[in-house]
Amino acid sequence: MTAETAVTTPARNGLLPRLRLAPWLYLAPTLAVLFVWIYLPLFQAVQLSFTQWNMLPTATPRPVGWENYRNLLALPELRQAAWNTLWYVLGLLPLSVLVPLAVAILTQDLGGPLRNLYRALIFIPMIVPPIVAAVLWRWLLNEDYGLVNRIITALGADPVSFFQNPDIALWTMVWITGWKLMGFATLLLSAANGTIDPGYVEAARMDGATRWQIVRDIRLPLLSPTILLLTMMTILFGAQWSFVYINAITDGGPLGSTTNVFFLMWKYGFQTFSAGWSATAGVMTFVVFGLIALALLTLSRKLAFHDN
């Protein structure tokens, strides 16, 4: 071994551990935040789901085993909230995916002031704070003095109980939530649509393709990753986004028709002060939506088309 090799080998051996450690040092702040704000509360929620506790500092959580899970699964209120959550998701999918997709495609060729006007009209709901939107729609749809019902009565029809009729209230909340989401979805789809290579469209036109054929065979496949992303976000978070409007307008009524599992968790925790039941509902919701997320991720890898 030469003197040069003897000098450089320890240096290299000391450098390798530092190089292996460097990525973890960069990731450490993010991992710490995830542990403190995500994984630790999740672990504590699982622990709390096996206890009864009224959230008073002087009270001690009492272990009850699987009793909370058995009691909640036997509650008609939970089954109703689960069905309502499904209806929220199904009702929001057209408003957060299909309508923005149609708007993004139909307005792609607009230019000048019309393009800016439609973007402003679509984007405004997104920047309105949720609680402000809830107050606005509660006033607009009020049965006695709301602007919408005044227009309806002026046309000779009876006023509609948007928030008092159990058959209409849930779909009213779906519309309010979807109205708020349309701007965000349209923005994403318009941006994705704008990145499509114009050469594909020009080549298709030269081959005699119609506007519908261009949309079907070029735009929709290339927009599939964004469409699948919005679909997954709506399924996983749509009912959760409606919480503010439920809390501010209907409080879960009438007759529980607008309650979903996220509002039920809040109700158990902060109205009846049953922390164990709230944590149990949260854990069950986490497991169900976690399985749905895994299925959607697997499906999106198979269905998404990427322009490589």
Side-chain angles (χ1 to χ4, degrees):
M1 179 181 294
T2 64
E4 181 181 356
T5 304
V7 171
T8 57
T9 299
R12 289 175 181 172
N13 291 338
L15 181 62
L16 287 176
R18 289 199 297 271
L19 290 176
R20 294 193 186 102
L21 186 61
W24 294 104
L25 292 176
Y26 289 118
L27 289 172
T30 302
L31 294 175
V33 170
L34 285 174
F35 176 77
V36 172
W37 294 106
I38 303 295
Y39 299 113
L40 182 59
L42 179 62
F43 175 73
Q44 292 174 335
V46 173
Q47 282 187 314
L48 194 59
S49 69
F50 294 101
T51 65
Q52 282 187 0
W53 183 42
N54 59 7
M55 299 182 68
L56 292 177
T58 56
T60 302
R62 181 172 62 88
V64 294
W66 293 94
E67 182 180 338
N68 289 337
Y69 290 89
R70 288 192 295 266
N71 291 338
L72 275 183
L73 289 174
L75 275 182
E77 185 182 33
L78 180 63
R79 289 195 291 272
Q80 182 186 22
W83 278 110
N84 288 346
T85 303
L86 176 63
W87 293 125
Y88 272 108
V89 171
L90 294 178
L92 283 171
L93 281 173
L95 296 174
S96 63
V97 180
L98 296 182
V99 173
L101 177 62
V103 172
I105 291 176
L106 292 174
T107 58
Q108 178 64 29
D109 298 329
L110 286 179
L114 285 179
R115 187 182 184 90
N116 295 329
L117 177 63
Y118 107 82
R119 285 182 171 178
L121 292 176
I122 290 293
F123 193 71
I124 282 174
M126 181 181 171
I127 61 178
V128 176
I131 189 63
V132 175
V135 173
L136 173 66
W137 281 105
R138 186 171 59 182
W139 172 74
L140 287 173
L141 301 178
N142 187 276
E143 184 177 6
D144 299 321
Y145 54 81
L147 180 61
V148 174
N149 269 315
R150 289 200 173 189
I151 296 173
I152 291 174
T153 53
L155 296 175
D158 295 329
V160 180
S161 301
F162 289 101
F163 301 124
Q164 289 77 31
N165 188 336
D167 297 328
I168 301 176
L170 183 141
W171 302 111
T172 304
M173 305 307 293
V174 167
W175 160 252
I176 295 173
T177 308
W179 170 82
K180 191 76 169 56
L181 295 177
M182 278 192 287
F184 172 72
T186 304
L187 182 67
L188 283 185
L189 288 167
S190 296
N193 197 26
T195 60
I196 294 176
D197 188 351
Y200 297 147
V201 178
E202 292 301 324
R205 285 174 179 165
M206 292 177 64
D207 289 338
T210 63
R211 182 181 176 90
W212 163 244
Q213 289 172 329
I214 292 173
V215 170
R216 182 191 64 191
D217 299 329
I218 296 178
R219 294 196 184 278
L220 289 180
L222 293 176
L223 288 174
S224 61
T226 308
I227 294 172
L228 291 170
L229 173 64
L230 286 172
T231 301
M232 184 166 60
M233 290 178 63
T234 302
I235 293 174
L236 297 178
F237 305 116
Q240 183 178 348
W241 290 331
S242 65
F243 170 82
V244 175
Y245 312 111
I246 299 171
N247 188 34
I249 300 174
T250 64
D251 197 35
L255 303 176
S257 61
T258 60
T259 300
N260 60 34
V261 291
F262 299 100
F263 183 78
L264 203 62
M265 277 188 278
W266 178 85
K267 178 181 176 182
Y268 289 150
F270 298 99
Q271 284 189 352
T272 63
F273 297 102
S274 179
W277 279 31
S278 179
T280 302
V283 170
M284 290 193 295
T285 302
F286 170 78
V287 171
V288 171
F289 277 96
L291 295 174
I292 293 174
L294 290 176
L296 290 173
L297 286 173
T298 303
L299 190 64
S300 65
R301 292 192 188 102
K302 296 180 179 179
L303 297 179
F305 178 85
H306 297 278
D307 181 17
N308 295 323

